[in-house]
Each structure stands twice: as C-alpha cells, then as structure tokens.
C-alpha cells in the first residue's frame, strides 16, 4: 500500500459507437472519419480534466473497474439524511479523498478532513492546497492515525479496507472507530465485482480481497464493532425515497467509545 492507485471510472466498455456497427456493413469514409474524430474528442476531454495524463492512463480510467469512492459521491446525500448533524465533522479515508473532502467542504457549516492511503504522484492544484493546509494527509492506515480519540463525528472509509489482510484489519478498524464519536461507515466492494487489472496490481501492493457481507459481519463481531441499527434504518429509508441502490456494500458501525 505504498503507491496510490490509478483513478478509475466505472467500466464503460470499448470506444463508444464502434460496437453498434454491423460487422458485415462497410461504413462510409465520412462515418469512419466521424468515429475517429469523436474518439479523439473524448480522449481530449478526459485528458484535459485529468491534468495532462498520458493516453494510456486515460484509457485505463475509461476501462477501469468499479470504485466505491465514486459510489460515495452518489451516497453522500443519503448519508446526510441518515446522519443529519453528525455529518458536520467528517473524516474520509480512501483514494481520491481530495474530491470527497472538497465536496463536503461546500456544505454550509461543514468540516471535513481526509486521509489518502497511497502516495499522491499526480494531482491538481486544489488537492495540493488541501495537503499543504493539512486538511488531507497521506498516511499508511495500517498504523495508528495521527488524531486524538473522538476527533470526528463520523469516519467514512471507501476503497481502502479491501486491500488489508485480516491481520491489519484487526488493528485498523478499531483505530478508525477510535477517532469517531458517532459512527463509522465502510464502503466495500461485492465479491466478484471487477476491480483491478492484473497489470495494475503492483500499484496496490496486493490484489483487492472482496468479501461477502456475512464475512464482514463475523469480522465486526470479532473486533467488538456493533452495527448501528438506527443509522442503517435511516439510511435504508432515505435510499428508498431517492430510489438509490448502492453498487458497493455499505456498513454502518457504532464507535467503540461511549
């Protein structure tokens, strides 16, 4: 877990429109030219938004796998309904935490901090500013966090625990719960869900271990973490009203401290 993973989009398949052509049909030169120009426009758009990354990086993002951090952006309005004022002082732990923190800071009277578990090799000026101010830190979550107990009302974790072995989970999860007053929210991928290509495994140090909800429940019990039934119920009710169906497993846990 020494390097930061490549930022990824959900799997969108191959280049748009190409697969829709009949295999036996012969496209006109103008249509072929249009497809080529369209592909370059898409690449240019993503390239511009990525801070000048290479074409290989861009296609890696377009063809990348599911991200629970991307899912978190969709889940934030539902989390706000479930936790109310407890969302006013939040710590996010996971890759691309600058984007999550920036979104939270736009809320009125909101405080947010972030921990990036991987080295930030390429990032934008906004993220650099957050790191410079100490709002976002780069830290290995296998070790104690640099915060006092009950420093945050809520700790939200995405795309981080899936890369920890049970040995480190035994230390990390209680540590994450230690710095939370009201609860701990964990977003984890579903078993069988596409995540990281073989060529990218070295960037993480180990492949993601996607575990079932029953595995996580047993593990929470072993580490003395309890489900926050009140928050879970409120989240489910808010999700139903918004017709929101998570693509990642979302667990709501109580803090270890009372």
């Amino acid at each position: 877990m020494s390097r930061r993973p490549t930022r990824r989009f959900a799997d969108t398949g191959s280049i748009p429109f190409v697969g829709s052509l009949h295999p036996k049909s012969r496209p006109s030169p103008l249509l072929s030219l249009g497809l080529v120009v369209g592909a370059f426009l898409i690449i240019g758009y993503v390239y511009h938004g990525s801070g000048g990354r290479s074409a290989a990086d861009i296609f890696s993002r377009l063809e990348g796998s599911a991200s629970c951090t991307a899912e978190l952006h969709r889940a934030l309005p539902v989390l706000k309904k479930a936790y109310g004022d407890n969302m006013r002082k939040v710590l996010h732990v996971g890759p691309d935490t600058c984007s999550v923190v920036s979104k939270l800071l736009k809320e009125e009277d909101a405080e947010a901090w972030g921990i990036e578990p991987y080295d930030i090799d390429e990032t934008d000026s906004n993220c650099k500013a957050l790191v410079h101010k100490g709002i976002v830190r780069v830290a290995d979550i296998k070790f104690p966090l640099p915060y006092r107990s009950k420093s945050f009302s809520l700790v939200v974790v995405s795309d981080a625990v899936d890369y920890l072995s049970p040995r480190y989970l035994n230390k990390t999860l209680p540590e994450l719960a230690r710095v939370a007053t009201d609860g701990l929210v964990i977003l984890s991928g579903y078993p069988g869900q596409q995540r990281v290509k073989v060529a990218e495994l070295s960037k993480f140090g180990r492949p993601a271990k996607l575990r079932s909800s029953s595995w996580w429940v047993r593990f929470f019990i072993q580490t003395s973490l309890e489900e926050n039934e009140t928050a879970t119920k409120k989240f489910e009710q808010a999700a139903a009203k918004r017709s929101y169906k998570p693509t990642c497993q979302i667990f709501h846990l109580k803090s270890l401290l009372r």
Side-chain angles (χ1 to χ4, degrees), residues 49-211:
S50 64
R53 294 183 179 179
S54 66
D57 288 337
I58 293 170
F59 277 114
S60 176
R61 293 179 67 191
L62 288 173
E63 297 179 355
S65 49
S67 163
C68 287
T69 300
E71 176 69 20
L72 175 58
H73 281 277
R74 296 177 56 226
L76 281 176
V78 185
L79 286 172
K80 291 172 186 174
K81 287 291 184 180
Y83 287 93
D85 290 340
N86 294 338
M87 285 287 291
R88 294 193 181 278
K89 194 171 184 180
V90 179
L91 172 68
H92 173 256
V93 180
D96 289 332
T97 191
C98 287
S99 65
V100 177
V101 170
S102 296
K103 190 168 185 176
L104 288 169
L105 288 175
K106 291 179 181 179
E107 299 293 326
E108 186 178 357
D109 298 327
E111 297 180 39
W113 288 263
I115 290 183
E116 169 67 63
Y118 312 99
D119 290 341
I120 301 179
D121 297 324
E122 297 179 9
T123 187
D124 55 28
S125 58
N126 177 61
C127 189
K128 290 179 180 177
L130 292 173
V131 174
H132 180 72
K133 294 176 182 177
I135 296 174
V136 171
R137 298 186 180 187
V138 180
D140 192 334
I141 61 174
K142 295 194 299 293
F143 301 98
L145 301 178
Y147 300 109
R148 296 179 179 178
S149 297
K150 297 186 177 182
S151 293
F152 310 95
S153 57
L154 194 69
V155 174
V156 182
V157 187
S158 60
D159 289 320
V161 294
D162 290 336
Y163 294 91
L164 294 178
S165 66
R167 171 191 173 189
Y168 287 114
L169 281 173
N170 279 318
K171 299 178 180 179
T172 299
L173 287 183
E175 179 67 9
L176 292 169
R178 177 187 67 81
V179 300
T181 301
D182 299 303
L184 173 64
V185 179
I186 295 177
L187 281 77
S188 174
Y190 283 103
Q193 181 182 13
Q194 181 187 2
R195 293 302 292 272
V196 182
K197 300 177 182 179
V198 175
E200 297 177 346
L201 293 181
S202 60
K203 298 180 181 180
F204 293 88
R206 61 181 293 118
K209 181 67 173 179
L210 303 184
R211 294 130 172 156

Side-chain angles (χ1 to χ4, degrees), residues 194-241:
Q194 181 187 2
R195 293 302 292 272
V196 182
K197 300 177 182 179
V198 175
E200 297 177 346
L201 293 181
S202 60
K203 298 180 181 180
F204 293 88
R206 61 181 293 118
K209 181 67 173 179
L210 303 184
R211 294 130 172 156
S212 66
S213 58
S214 59
W215 187 96
W216 279 113
V217 169
R218 290 193 299 270
F219 188 83
F220 294 147
I221 294 174
Q222 292 172 5
T223 51
S224 300
L225 287 171
E226 300 177 10
E227 179 189 5
N228 189 332
E229 296 180 357
T230 301
T232 299
K233 185 176 181 179
K234 289 182 178 180
F235 182 87
E236 291 174 349
Q237 291 173 343
K241 289 182 180 179

